[in-house]
Amino acid sequence: MEYSRPNLIPVTAGCLGLSGFAVAMLAGVASNNPADIVLTRAILSLVACSPLGAGLGWIFEIIITKHQQTVLQELAASHGHHGQHGHHNHHGHHGQPGHADGEAETDHNPNMEASKRAA
């Protein structure tokens, strides 16, 4: 089973838009402004913050995609390096059986291995 991460553009757009809406609502209510003004400003904040969140999500997508490509290239190179010397090994990294945390190897997932190394 292969891991597929969500697209961050709509996620960050929604989060930032709703955050802007909530902040505007709280600020308006705390200021004792009339309800129509509070709602108008909150909706304007939602409309203004959503594209900012989408732009931020787009930047995140670029960074994560480039990092994923780098990690996958490094993994391919390291597996190619082991194969050149005839030491191809199905027991995990550095000749140790299973994974670093002691679990048996079930599925080879470069994304999960990369995140374990980064942690």
Side-chain angles (χ1 to χ4, degrees):
M1 174 188 250
E2 186 160 324
Y3 172 75
S4 113
R5 64 178 174 76
N7 183 349
L8 294 178
I9 296 172
V11 172
T12 55
C15 287
L16 216 60
L18 290 174
S19 295
F21 181 84
V23 167
M25 285 290 291
L26 292 172
V29 169
S31 304
N32 291 325
N33 287 335
D36 59 335
I37 303 254
V38 171
L39 279 174
T40 302
R41 290 178 181 169
I43 291 170
L44 288 174
S45 294
L46 173 79
V47 169
C49 290
S50 291
L52 293 174
L56 195 59
W58 179 67
I59 292 168
F60 290 161
E61 280 292 322
I62 290 171
I63 292 168
I64 291 171
T65 301
K66 287 186 179 189
H67 178 69
Q68 258 183 337
Q69 290 170 351
T70 302
V71 168
L72 290 175
Q73 287 172 353
E74 288 174 357
L75 284 173
S78 71
H79 284 119
H81 177 70
H82 289 298
Q84 289 173 357
H85 296 292
H87 298 235
H88 190 69
N89 145 11
H90 295 282
H91 295 291
H93 294 287
H94 306 293
Q96 298 172 355
H99 293 284
D101 58 359
E103 293 178 3
E105 188 171 355
T106 55
D107 287 335
H108 180 70
N109 188 339
N111 294 331
M112 295 302 290
E113 290 177 7
S115 64
K116 284 182 183 177
R117 281 198 315 260

